[in-house]
């Protein structure tokens, strides 16, 4: 039992990693033995990421003494460690990151040690002779094996060799996995799945396929194999099995002229005809990769424009990869002759490296021309400025580059498992656009013997001081946030006398966070993320061996979300105005968009980034230089699944899991929310239901009837005596099982029998159950284990919701442990009554004509009667003892029955449709919408983000800013100039008219519509060429203006006519928890109905009209009459009739924002007047080509934000 609990805890801890890497890779890492040589910044970053990824055995070798400058990149070296061996200092601190791993300090770097390893990583030194020797040793390792016959043999067993060199703003990584290395999964993506549409009967059978609902419509990889399953028909042994489902996977082949979404298989002429159904699933074909030695690759690294290694990393196409390679070889030659690295900013040393690089380039040219087929040596013309810049800082390790290197290198260790595509030899990176231009004075770059020496040697001491005095806002302190806190502390960001870092994160630490949020330890579980992260950086305390990263980091933490609810406190306008910049570390789009919008309002730079498994992105956003985050486009959210697929026609297990998650809300969230709302507002709820039930609108009646019935059903359980309530919850769960898996399926089969045809307008379009539609089978309780698991989990969750049993406390892993078995389920089922099947309806959005049997009598009158009966019961219920709480779906608690329910529910659904079932872990990932997250990608991305921060602080132009993508799986590192500023200009748009309405002369000889007959519309922008960063700023004191004054100012100052103002005033949430935006009309000023003028509700409608005429309501007669009719239906006016709201025409702008916009302005300094609509007078399109003045009024569709200062 204890072992099972420990295993489940480990699975929870590594859940995000398993989602990205897969359990097989995670298992490999637990068994791997990794040696890291060198523990400066890149080394310790690699070690950290390896341990977080789950490497089971890590050896460290770096006996060099810690230096003060090491503290600028190594987060585990403190001031008290200077002079001590790096490996001995770091080992116990690294151990804390993964207590289950063995972390070992090697006494010597020898062949015995290296031979025992799976992978060896060198991160310190460029000694060519030593590196080549160790590489050859690793390549040549063998091992003795004994086959099943007992025969001994020796086989190659190379040790993976990785080498990384951080040289200022450049990075080189070399990888060698041996002469033969099997890559079993090149990209790590989920296997492609397609639906079979048809299979032809011919010599080369043509398979046509479709994309399942909810999956991206990408082309299947042509180098994979594809297996068939669930195909009906196609029986026979011609292709090697008893039928197509039993055949070995097929290669993806096609003939010229074949239709899209198809491929060929073998001879299908002797197979029985294809009858229907079927899935095609990708089987990834392993690839054998042949790596070349370090000695060979130093001469012939390949080219970024070919397929012979050296991935492209410089997307300016200036060939910096080759320049860095030449610089690296020159550096190695310098080290070989001088027995040291070049001194930073030493021009003579830089010239010596440059000279060696030129000699190397010339030798490569001779080698290429002297051999018959060319030696494929590096073909490069040395760019002196690049190589000289490389050489000046070749001995410098910059923390952002080391962080990036640690992410990439650790991922190469992961690739030793056979998953993902390794770097084939060298990969070179150059971030030279970050370099100060012009460089700081030499005196400003001189070393002072402190932790910032390396940083100052490139950017200057003045720049370091600027970093220290920044006032920055870090939004989020999860995986990205932890890395940012570390990076800021090591680089001195916000560590100066005027510096300040504010961290906001409302979340608490969970066990699954520990594999990628490296500032947290197991004793931090349950604590605030923001506070724990700040403490680890500045004052870790006695429960960890880690030293402070930087005691001077000045941090203020807020356990709060950043959004409208925290604008009054703590994130006021004054707070935002005082910032120098914002760094996002978020994982949801809503929060990203809010921060982006606020940065636009206050014109603050924003560092945006994100990760998804092995992929990541970096987006620097700078006022008046780049696009905003929202303008850059939304992150991919995945394909939507049509509702009819989820409701009636699932064909993938993902559809069943999504459906089960929806049923969770239907059973345990929505009814409970309705009850809580009713308990807080019983009279208004009853009045609203009464009004709708008495409406003449059938839709209103039916929806109100359904709401009333559902509300009563929930309250019937909630108000039952406590001793009966749990059994009622069990019965409701039992009823739900039969409703979901028996009744709904029976309804569908009644409407569409197995032989049903699709009939449209009387025409037969073929069999209904074809393509992605699987014919279902209704369930009978007791057939399989998922059914009793459904009953157990549903009973427990519903009982907690309804107060029928104690609610689970956080951290209680023994909750209801004796009631999680089949015996308990049998006792529950025995006490329940099987509900009778009552035919119901099917969805109206199913294609074709619905069978009449599917539509029983369910008239409006019946619905109204049922609703009124439920309303009567609701009006007399005693609410005083109601104890109801909605179940807040929690994916990270494995003992609260939530994921148990989703798993069982999805599998019961899957069995209805003969879909292979899911397991607990997959259900958890899918239903919990868990984002695959790993430490390597996080580290790599945050290192790149910091480089963008350095550029922003230097006020670099947009052409030096980089929008980057990180693809660790396939070594894909594109970078582009940051997205250009989006400006809005007036333009004319021509729209093709409806041809039917045009005269004969509108068409040319080809039958096309002539351009002069196109409809021309003008899209007006004001001011011309503005961006979202631009503002139309109202003058001081305008908060006290009335709308008329605003209108006059817009006209006088900008020639704009205010036509409307609909002010956004928040969101409303309906009873199902859905949100929608609402706005208030400000201009033209609406006239409010004075309820005091409404006549008696006892009058007839004609009498009421006469009474209103006497009240002199004038043109508002129909509005008053409508309100009178509404209250007459309700039966009474409100007890306390409020005075009518004042007209917006008489309000000041401040009052309008407070009253209509529902804003609290006491803490506000600036407000954007959203919802303004204006028009402008300008020349019409028809007057452009004439001399006659012809002006028209045009709506301004792109109006710059109007800013009001308070």
């Amino acid at each position: 039992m204890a072992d099972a609990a420990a295993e489940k805890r480990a699975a929870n801890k590594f859940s995000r990693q398993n989602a990205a890497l897969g359990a097989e890779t995670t298992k490999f890492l637990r068994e791997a033995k990794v040696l890291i040589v060198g523990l400066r910044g890149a080394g310790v970053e690699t070690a950290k990421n390896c341990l977080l990824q789950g490497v089971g055995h890590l050896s460290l070798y770096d006996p060099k003494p810690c230096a003060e400058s090491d503290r600028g990149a190594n987060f585990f070296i403190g001031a008290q460690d200077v002079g001590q061996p790096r490996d001995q200092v770091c080992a116990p601190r690294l151990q804390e990151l993964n207590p289950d791993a063995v972390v070992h300090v090697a006494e010597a770097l020898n062949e015995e040690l290296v031979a025992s390893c799976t992978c060896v990583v060198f991160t310190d030194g460029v000694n060519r002779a030593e590196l080549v020797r160790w590489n050859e040793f690793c390549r040549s390792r063998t091992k003795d094996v004994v086959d099943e016959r007992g025969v001994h043999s020796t086989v190659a067993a190379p040790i993976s060799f990785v080498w990384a060199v951080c040289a200022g703003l450049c990075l080189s990584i070399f990888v060698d996995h041996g002469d033969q290395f099997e890559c079993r999964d090149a990209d790590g993506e989920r296997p492609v799945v397609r639906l079979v549409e048809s299979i032809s009967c011919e010599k080369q059978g043509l398979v046509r396929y479709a994309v399942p609902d909810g999956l991206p419509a990408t082309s299947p990889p042509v180098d994979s194999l594809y297996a068939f399953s669930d195909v009906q028909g196609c029986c026979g042994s011609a292709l090697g099995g008893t039928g197509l489902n039993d055949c070995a996977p097929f290669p993806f082949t096609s003939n010229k002229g074949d239709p899209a979404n198809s491929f060929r298989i073998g001879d299908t002429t002797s197979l029985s005809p294809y009858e229907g159904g079927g899935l095609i699933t990708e089987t990834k074909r392993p690839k054998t990769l042949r790596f070349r030695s370090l000695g060979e690759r130093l001469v012939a690294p390949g080219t970024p424009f070919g397929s012979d290694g050296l991935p492209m990393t410089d997307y300016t196409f200036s060939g910096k990869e080759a320049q860095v390679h030449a610089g690296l070889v020159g550096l190695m030659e310098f080290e070989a002759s001088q027995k040291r690295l070049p001194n930073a900013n030493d021009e003579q040393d830089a010239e010596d490296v440059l000279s060696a690089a030129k000699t190397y380039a010339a030798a490569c040219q001779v080698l290429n021309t002297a051999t018959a087929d060319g030696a494929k040596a590096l073909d490069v013309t040395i760019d002196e400025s690049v190589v000289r810049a490389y050489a000046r800082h070749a001995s410098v390790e910059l923390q952002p580059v080391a962080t990036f290197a640690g992410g990439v290198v650790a991922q190469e260790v992961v690739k030793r498992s056979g998953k993902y595509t390794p770097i084939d030899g060298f990969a070179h990176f150059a971030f030279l656009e970050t370099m100060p231009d012009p460089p700081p004075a030499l005196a400003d770059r001189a070393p002072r013997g402190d932790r910032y020496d390396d940083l100052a040697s490139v950017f200057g001491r003045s720049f370091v001081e600027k970093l220290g005095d920044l006032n920055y806002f870090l939004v989020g302190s999860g995986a990205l946030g932890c890395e940012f806190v570390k990076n800021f502390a090591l680089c001195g960001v916000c560590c100066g006398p005027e510096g300040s870092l504010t961290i906001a994160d409302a979340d608490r630490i969970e066990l699954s966070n520990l594999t990628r949020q490296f500032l947290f330890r197991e004793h931090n579980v349950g604590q605030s993320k923001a506070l724990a992260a700040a403490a680890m950086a500045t004052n870790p305390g006695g429960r960890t061996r880690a030293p402070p990263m930087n005691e001077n980091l000045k941090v203020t933490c807020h356990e709060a979300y950043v959004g409208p609810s925290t604008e009054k406190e703590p994130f006021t306008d004054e707070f935002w105005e005082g910032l120098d910049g914002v760094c996002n570390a978020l994982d949801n789009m809503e929060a990203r968009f809010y921060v982006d919008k606020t940065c636009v309002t206050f014109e603050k730079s924003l560092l945006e980034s994100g990760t998804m498994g092995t992929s990541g992105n970096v987006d620097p956003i700078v006022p008046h230089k780049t696009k905003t985050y929202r303008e850059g486009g939304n992150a991919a959210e995945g394909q939507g699944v049509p509702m009819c697929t989820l409701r009636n026609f699932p064909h993938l297990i993902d559809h069943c899991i999504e459906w089960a998650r929806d049923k969770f809300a239907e059973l345990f969230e929505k009814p409970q929310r309705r009850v809580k709302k009713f308990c807080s507002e019983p009279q208004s709820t009853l009045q609203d239901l009464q009004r709708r039930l008495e409406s003449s609108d059938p839709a209103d009646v039916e929806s109100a009837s359904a709401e009333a019935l559902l509300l009563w059903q929930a309250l019937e359980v909630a108000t039952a005596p406590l001793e009966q309530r749990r059994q009622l919850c069990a019965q409701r769960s039992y009823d739900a099982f039969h409703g979901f898996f028996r009744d709904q399926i029976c309804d569908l089969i009644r409407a569409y029998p197995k032989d049903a045809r699709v009939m449209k307008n009387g025409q037969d379009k073929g069999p209904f159950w074809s393509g992605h539609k699987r014919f279902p089978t209704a369930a009978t309780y007791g057939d399989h284990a998922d059914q009793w698991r459904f009953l157990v989990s549903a009973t427990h969750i519903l009982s907690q919701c309804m107060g029928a049993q104690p609610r689970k406390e956080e951290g209680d892993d023994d909750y209801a442990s004796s009631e999680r078995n089949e015996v308990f389920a049998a006792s529950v089922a025995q006490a329940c009554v099987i509900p009778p099947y009552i035919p119901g309806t099917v969805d109206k959005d199913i294609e074709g004509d619905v069978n009449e049997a599917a539509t029983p009598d369910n008239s409006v009158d019946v619905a109204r009667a049922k609703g009124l009966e439920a309303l009567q019961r609701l009006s007399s219920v005693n609410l005083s003892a109601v104890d109801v709480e909605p179940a807040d779906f929690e994916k990270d608690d494995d003992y609260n029955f939530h994921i148990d329910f989703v798993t069982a529910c999805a599998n019961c659904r899957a069995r209805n449709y003969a879909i292979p079932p899911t397991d607990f872990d997959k259900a958890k990932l899918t239903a919990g919408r868990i984002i695959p997250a790993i430490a390597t990608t996080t580290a790599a991305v945050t290192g790149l983000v910091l480089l963008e921060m350095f550029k922003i602080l230097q006020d670099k132009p947009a052409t030096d800013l980089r929008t980057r993508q990180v693809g660790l799986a396939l070594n894909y590192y594109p970078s582009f100039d940051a997205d250009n500023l989006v400006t809005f200009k007036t333009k004319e748009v021509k729209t093709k008219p409806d041809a039917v309405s045009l005269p004969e002369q509108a068409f040319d000889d080809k039958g096309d519509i002539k351009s002069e007959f196109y409809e021309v519309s003008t899209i007006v922008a004001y001011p011309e060429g503005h961006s979202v960063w631009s503002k139309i700023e109202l003058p001081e004191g305008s908060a006290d203006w009335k709308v008329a004054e605003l209108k006059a100012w817009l006209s006088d100052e900008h020639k704009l006519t205010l036509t409307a103002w609909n002010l956004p005033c928040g969101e409303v949430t309906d009873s199902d928890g859905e949100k929608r935006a609402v706005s208030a009309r400000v201009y033209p000023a609406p006239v409010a109905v004075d309820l005091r003028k409404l006549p008696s509700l006892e009058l007839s409608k004609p009498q009421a009209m006469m009474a209103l005429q006497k009240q002199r309501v004038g043109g508002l007669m129909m509005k008053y009459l409508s309100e009178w009719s509404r209250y007459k239906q309700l039966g009474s006016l409100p007890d306390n009739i409020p005075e009518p709201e004042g007209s917006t025409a008489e309000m000041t702008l401040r009052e309008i924002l407070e009253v209509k916009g529902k804003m609290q302005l006491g803490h506000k300094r600036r407000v954007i007047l959203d919802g303004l609509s204006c028009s402008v007078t300008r020349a019409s399109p028809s007057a452009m080509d004439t001399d006659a003045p012809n002006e028209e009024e045009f709506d301004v569709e792109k109006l710059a934000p109007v800013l009001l200062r308070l």
Side-chain angles (χ1 to χ4, degrees), residues 9 502 509 532 605 628 636 719 728 872 890 906:
R9 182 177 175 84
T502 301
I509 299 164
S605 62
T628 66
T719 56
L728 274 174
Q872 185 65 33
E890 176 49 66

Side-chain angles (χ1 to χ4, degrees), residues 419-468:
K419 187 162 189 174
Y420 310 119
T421 301
I423 293 172
D424 183 8
F426 276 103
H428 297 296
F429 301 86
F431 309 109
L432 296 174
E433 75 282 351
T434 315
M435 193 86 72
D437 186 18
L442 196 57
D444 197 35
R445 289 178 277 157
R448 296 183 183 177
D450 65 15
R451 65 186 306 159
Y452 303 123
D453 275 357
D454 278 2
L455 187 62
S457 69
V458 177
F459 296 97
R461 193 64 58 168
S462 300
F463 178 83
V464 174
E465 292 171 359
K466 283 184 179 180
L467 284 176

